[in-house]
Amino acid sequence: MFKAILMICSLAQANDCMQYTDTRGLYRTKEQCMARIHEMLNDIKPTLPDVAREHLYKCDDEIGVKL
């Protein structure tokens, strides 16, 4: 199971990052997790200031999670 995590950092200001963790749930495949990350980014982009930024992401493998 994978948890979607997205981090958006300003390129102009060091240590100016925001982390977003998916609240919908866990995903069975890495592909499903990546699709959720893209969806999260598309939803968040309109709310961000128009400055240079870096998008980082991770599909964290949740070991030991039971369904």
Side-chain angles (χ1 to χ4, degrees):
M1 302 295 285
F2 296 92
K3 180 182 4 177
I5 302 170
L6 175 63
M7 186 176 290
I8 300 174
C9 299
S10 169
L11 293 178
Q13 192 132 2
N15 299 319
D16 184 14
C17 296
M18 296 177 287
Q19 180 175 314
Y20 302 90
T21 302
D22 181 38
T23 59
R24 285 191 188 167
L26 300 174
Y27 301 91
R28 292 186 183 274
T29 68
K30 198 163 193 165
E31 292 77 20
Q32 289 173 327
C33 180
M34 288 302 301
R36 176 62 179 138
I37 286 174
H38 288 289
E39 183 181 359
M40 289 167 61
L41 185 56
N42 287 334
D43 289 345
I44 293 167
K45 271 185 183 180
T47 68
L48 298 173
D50 192 22
V51 296
R53 59 187 173 263
E54 180 178 27
H55 306 123
L56 307 165
Y57 59 86
K58 180 178 179 182
C59 283
D60 194 22
D61 189 5
E62 291 284 304
I63 304 296
V65 174
K66 295 182 181 182
L67 292 178

